[in-house]
Amino acid sequence: MIRKLKFPVIIDYFIILLFSFFIIRNTFGEGLILTHDAPMPLVIPSFSKLSFLWSHNVLTGINNMMLSSNWIPIWLFFNLLKNAGLSLWFINRTIFILPLFTLSSSFYLLLRYFGKSRVASLLSGLFLVASPIASTRLALGQTWLLVQLSGIVLFLVFFLREIKKKDSTIIGVIFLSLLTLPITTFAHPVYMYLFGFSLIVLSILLIMFNQVQVFRLIKLLTITSIFSLFLNAWWIIPTVYGYLDVKNTLLECVKHGYSQRTLTTVTSQTYLIKSFSLLSYITTPLLPFYSLTYFSIVAILIVISSVFLALRKKDSSSAFFAILFVTSVFLSQGANKPFSNLFMFLYDYFPGFFIFRDPSHFLSLEIIGISGLIGCTLDGILTEVRATNKKKKRLYFSLILVFIVFLLLVEIFPTVASGNLEGRLKPVVIPTYYYEAIRWIDSNASGTRIYIPGVPDALTWYRWSPNYMLPNVLSSVSNNVSVITRGLALTALDIPNSLMSYIFLIEDSFFKSNDNLSIKALGIINVKYIIMDDSIVSFPSKYEKNSTYLKLVKTIGTIRIYENKLFYPLFFTLHDLPNNFSLIQDTQNNVHYTIINPTEYIVRVNVSTPFYLVFTETYDKGWILEDAQGNRLNFEHLPFLGFMNCWYINRTSTTFKVRFYPQVTLNYGLTISLIFLAFSLLLLLRNLLRAKLKLK
């Protein structure tokens, strides 16, 4: 049975907080923690990207909140901290400590609401954040995934709390719907599916174990779902629109391109024994100490003993965590047999399931499942020890308890011992001239693109950071500048194959002597500046590009910035449409455009004959033309060179509005969400004031 929870003991939370600090205790020196996916640039930009479905900053343009992690709310939170006067160093460390604390404390609460003891709940919560899977997320800098996972656990806590009440109130329902925001705000669709699955499983088990009336549960879930839909309309409406109209859009590129490639790559490195060893496919490359065989043996012993001992007691909590564990282990195998048929069926036919391109995301549920089973096991043994009067039986259970705790300590020892994940979280002191370079680029390259040659991978290896690779530092430029590298083209979620091939050809030919074709090819895709950084290990030392079309305009430390004289603006016109960029002739300066926002432009064209209007943002059928009065113009919309927008316009001088039509879905969604959020907060405030008046 779920028992009423008294106010949690402060000491337990204090221990969790200390443990969160302890895990990264050796990272508090000078410098910033920069990891694979950590959203921590040198300069935190202020922008209103949250309001737009398209961003010039992204290589392929589309706002990736429908595809992957949505950085927008994170940046808004960082800006609040920055505007409050907090240092970048403090914000950087908060990104790593806060997820550890929220995940551990919310899981502690969940077990307490399931009726488990303080000791069992605390030990399980600490194991969760120090486990190999959580450490893998931390080493990758995927701390926002831990925050989303915390949100799932926290929702389940207050869902159980609402179930415990004799009757649900509208205030309780509003509070539950507000608790969906930590899950949905970070907009990783994978975790939204995990949230839905966990809630359905828990609801079914509560009915099976007679802990709630069916009608009351359905009523609570229905009203909460309706409220949550209104509150999350800001992303639900554009997402549904995108999935319903996926053909010939960048979402289709994701499903059949990047997602399929990633699924194939990850599956080839995934094995069932790894999942049972609590390891992701990338854990051992990131954290080599987990490659030792005895860690796998210890993990398997933990899994076997926890599953066996926890399921001796048939209750909703043990069943819930066991289902999460077993399901996640099977689905984490991706396209591997014998579970491939189920996974690929879901991938092909279940809306949005292709976002699970990396099946190891299911391991987040696995670690919740096994940590919960550990908590159930420890609680059961402690109950047996306290209940029995027989010395031999008490000694027997005490030895089992000591053995399991010993296994847990051995399993988390590598994470806890180093204090920085064996150097993965070691702070990096970045040369100060990068700050100056970013400021210069932001001031001079707004509305254009920059190209950094010699970066073959998603990460960059700098000579001043010899221990490990980092995200390219210059990618920290503002939202109005787009950065192009070979590595970004290789790993972009929604990049058309034609654009990827185009950038690969540029990179391959760039380092050839007296090659001007690559310079022209860059100019056509709006690259105004080419940046050569001698600090990059993969960049040829002291390399000089021999081209009459490049002009050195700035040298900052090891960074040389060249202006591309063959630069084409964001919009230009052509009288003929060649099938090869090398055949494009120099265009006249006959297009003037005004940027209203990233999804809307006013374009004025002064020509005397019909023409092709080229717009260098990545092709998507969502881009439309309208006249000055806002009427849609049905000119033929073509993918120029396979990846740029192009319209054939059979009229002369005219003014157009170029607009990303799906933006209206976000406008409607934001309006609905903000109105409902205000309504919800007013109701909560009214309830709080009434409660205070009653006390008086």
Side-chain angles (χ1 to χ4, degrees):
M1 290 293 292
I2 301 168
R3 69 185 183 213
K4 187 176 179 180
L5 177 68
K6 296 180 180 179
F7 187 81
V9 181
I10 295 177
I11 190 65
D12 293 349
Y13 284 104
F14 185 67
I15 291 172
I16 292 172
L17 182 61
L18 283 180
F19 192 70
S20 302
F21 275 93
F22 193 71
I23 289 176
I24 65 167
R25 66 189 180 279
N26 290 331
T27 67
F28 293 106
E30 185 183 4
L32 299 176
I33 303 174
L34 295 175
T35 57
H36 184 284
D37 284 334
M40 176 47 60
L42 295 182
V43 180
I44 299 175
S46 298
F47 54 82
S48 57
K49 186 179 172 186
L50 179 61
S51 304
F52 304 109
L53 272 182
W54 195 274
S55 170
H56 179 71
N57 181 251
V58 184
L59 179 62
T60 49
I62 196 167
N63 183 318
N64 63 359
M65 72 181 182
M66 294 187 290
L67 308 174
S68 187
S69 306
N70 183 16
W71 303 109
I72 299 165
I74 305 176
W75 291 126
L76 294 179
F77 175 67
F78 289 168
N79 275 304
L80 287 175
L81 297 180
K82 179 184 176 185
N83 294 334
L86 300 179
S87 68
L88 192 61
W89 184 96
F90 180 84
I91 297 172
N92 180 241
R93 298 317 189 270
T94 302
I95 290 171
F96 289 88
I97 293 174
L98 187 61
L100 295 175
F101 175 74
T102 55
L103 181 57
S104 185
S105 57
S106 60
F107 192 74
Y108 165 86
L109 264 179
L110 179 63
L111 287 180
R112 294 289 284 143
Y113 267 102
F114 268 126
K116 308 308 174 186
S117 66
R118 281 179 52 202
V119 173
S121 302
L122 183 60
L123 289 176
S124 299
L126 298 180
F127 174 80
L128 172 62
V129 294
S131 64
I133 292 173
S135 299
T136 302
R137 297 296 176 210
L138 203 62
L140 289 169
Q142 295 173 343
T143 53
W144 73 94
L145 295 182
L146 299 181
V147 173
Q148 272 192 304
L149 198 58
S150 306
I152 295 173
V153 175
L154 198 60
F155 182 94
L156 296 178
V157 168
F158 284 91
F159 177 71
L160 288 174
R161 180 176 179 269
E162 199 65 25
I163 292 294
K164 177 74 173 106
K165 294 179 180 178
K166 292 182 179 179
D167 191 24
S168 298
T169 62
I170 192 69
I171 298 301
V173 170
I174 288 176
F175 190 71
L176 279 177
S177 64
L178 288 172
L179 284 173
T180 63
L181 289 177
I183 307 167
T184 61
T185 297
F186 290 93
H188 201 300
V190 169
Y191 282 71
M192 297 181 199
Y193 278 109
L194 299 183
F195 165 58
F197 175 75
S198 303
L199 184 58
I200 291 171
V201 170
L202 180 58
S203 300
I204 293 173
L205 290 173
L206 290 175
I207 293 172
M208 291 176 60
F209 284 87
N210 299 316
Q211 292 179 281
V212 65
Q213 294 179 349
V214 177
F215 176 75
R216 181 165 175 258
L217 179 64
I218 293 175
K219 180 182 175 182
L220 176 62
L221 288 175
T222 301
I223 299 175
T224 303
S225 298
I226 293 171
F227 277 47
S228 299
L229 286 173
F230 282 116
L231 195 59
N232 289 281
W234 66 277
W235 67 267
I236 290 176
I237 292 177
T239 299
V240 171
Y241 173 87
Y243 288 140
L244 291 177
D245 196 29
V246 70
K247 191 174 182 182
N248 295 325
T249 65
L250 294 178
L251 284 173
E252 190 173 37
C253 296
V254 178
K255 182 173 183 178
H256 300 294
Y258 180 84
S259 289
Q260 191 63 58
R261 293 194 304 272
T262 305
L263 176 62
T264 302
T265 302
V266 172
T267 298
S268 67
Q269 304 173 57
T270 301
Y271 307 98
L272 193 60
I273 190 66
K274 276 190 175 182
S275 297
F276 275 108
S277 302
L278 308 181
L279 300 176
S280 165
Y281 76 98
I282 201 171
T283 300
T284 50
L286 285 173
L287 308 171
F289 38 75
Y290 278 116
S291 61
L292 298 176
T293 305
Y294 75 84
F295 279 112
S296 295
I297 296 173
V298 167
I300 292 172
L301 286 174
I302 290 173
V303 169
I304 293 173
S305 58
S306 299
V307 171
F308 174 74
L309 293 172
L311 293 181
R312 290 189 312 147
K313 185 178 180 181
K314 295 178 174 58
D315 60 6
S316 58
S317 58
S318 299
F320 174 66
F321 291 122
I323 291 172
L324 292 190
F325 176 75
V326 173
T327 304
S328 58
V329 167
F330 289 161
L331 288 178
S332 67
Q333 303 310 300
N336 282 333
K337 292 182 178 182
F339 315 109
S340 57
N341 290 338
L342 172 61
F343 188 93
M344 294 311 298
F345 173 81
L346 295 172
Y347 184 94
D348 290 331
Y349 299 107
F350 202 79
F353 195 86
F354 65 86
I355 301 301
F356 282 87
R357 56 188 176 272
D358 180 353
S360 68
H361 281 296
F362 282 107
L363 296 179
S364 295
L365 272 193
E366 182 198 37
I367 198 59
I368 291 290
I370 195 61
S371 298
L373 290 172
I374 289 169
C376 294
T377 297
L378 295 176
D379 183 72
I381 295 174
L382 286 170
T383 302
E384 294 276 4
V385 171
R386 291 166 182 164
T388 184
N389 293 321
K390 297 179 180 180
K391 290 185 178 180
K392 287 186 177 180
K393 193 173 182 181
R394 179 176 291 183
L395 178 62
Y396 170 72
F397 282 111
S398 297
L399 289 175
I400 294 177
L401 179 64
V402 170
F403 177 67
I404 292 176
V405 172
F406 172 74
L407 291 178
L408 297 180
L409 292 175
V410 171
E411 183 68 10
I412 68 174
F413 177 78
T415 298
V416 176
S418 67
N420 59 9
L421 294 185
E422 290 295 317
R424 278 288 162 187
L425 301 183
K426 184 179 179 181
V428 177
V429 179
I430 301 170
T432 56
Y433 57 80
Y434 279 89
Y435 293 84
E436 183 183 350
I438 290 172
R439 288 192 293 269
W440 190 95
I441 294 169
D442 286 343
S443 298
N444 294 274
S446 180
T448 68
R449 294 185 172 93
I450 62 172
Y451 171 62
I452 307 175
V455 184
D457 300 306
L459 301 180
T460 306
W461 202 326
Y462 291 99
R463 290 185 169 87
W464 42 262
S465 177
N467 293 329
Y468 52 93
M469 302 173 76
L470 309 170
N472 193 281
V473 174
L474 296 181
S475 295
S476 303
V477 292
S478 75
N479 187 46
N480 296 321
V481 182
S482 180
V483 179
I484 295 177
T485 69
R486 180 189 176 97
L488 290 176
L490 180 66
T491 56
L493 288 174
D494 42 5
I495 187 169
N497 288 332
S498 53
L499 177 55
M500 184 188 297
S501 300
Y502 187 85
I503 294 173
F504 285 1
L505 287 172
I506 290 173
E507 180 85 0
D508 292 340
S509 63
F510 182 83
F511 293 104
K512 294 180 180 178
S513 60
N514 300 320
D515 167 51
N516 289 321
L517 276 179
S518 60
I519 306 303
K520 182 174 183 178
L522 288 168
I524 289 169
I525 57 174
N526 194 226
V527 172
K528 187 174 183 179
Y529 295 103
I530 296 171
I531 298 179
M532 303 186 193
D533 187 352
D534 291 321
S535 288
I536 297 176
V537 173
S538 54
F539 185 80
S541 181
K542 301 299 180 182
Y543 176 81
E544 293 288 347
K545 176 69 176 174
N546 296 320
S547 174
T548 56
Y549 298 107
L550 288 183
K551 177 185 177 183
L552 180 64
V553 293
K554 190 74 173 177
T555 300
I556 308 173
T558 61
I559 299 170
R560 289 170 286 142
I561 303 176
Y562 293 84
E563 184 176 0
N564 184 0
K565 295 181 181 179
L566 297 180
F567 161 74
Y568 283 68
L570 201 59
F571 292 90
F572 60 90
T573 62
L574 294 171
H575 292 295
D576 297 306
L577 207 61
N579 56 12
N580 190 293
F581 75 90
S582 63
L583 301 177
I584 298 176
Q585 302 300 316
D586 291 337
T587 60
Q588 297 179 349
N589 187 19
N590 53 17
V591 180
H592 302 277
Y593 63 92
T594 303
I595 302 176
I596 307 300
N597 60 57
T599 66
E600 189 174 339
Y601 300 82
I602 302 296
V603 181
R604 298 173 182 84
V605 185
N606 184 21
V607 292
S608 56
T609 59
F611 60 95
Y612 291 94
L613 177 65
V614 178
F615 178 37
T616 59
E617 293 284 10
T618 308
Y619 177 82
D620 191 287
K621 69 178 182 180
W623 286 105
I624 62 172
L625 287 184
E626 296 177 342
D627 61 20
Q629 288 72 42
N631 300 312
R632 186 165 179 172
L633 302 172
N634 293 318
F635 294 120
E636 186 179 8
H637 187 190
L638 307 167
F640 178 48
L641 298 181
F643 58 84
M644 287 190 288
N645 296 279
C646 179
W647 292 270
Y648 177 67
I649 299 174
N650 57 0
R651 63 172 68 171
T652 55
S653 301
T654 188
T655 299
F656 303 104
K657 181 185 289 184
V658 178
R659 191 160 65 90
F660 189 58
Y661 179 75
Q663 175 65 26
V664 298
T665 63
L666 183 58
N667 294 340
Y668 293 145
L670 273 176
T671 302
I672 294 171
S673 293
L674 290 174
I675 291 173
F676 193 78
L677 178 61
F679 170 74
S680 301
L681 293 177
L682 285 173
L683 278 180
L684 289 175
L685 181 61
R686 188 189 70 168
N687 185 68
L688 181 63
L689 291 175
R690 282 184 175 180
K692 284 189 175 182
L693 289 174
K694 285 182 179 180
L695 289 175
K696 291 181 179 180

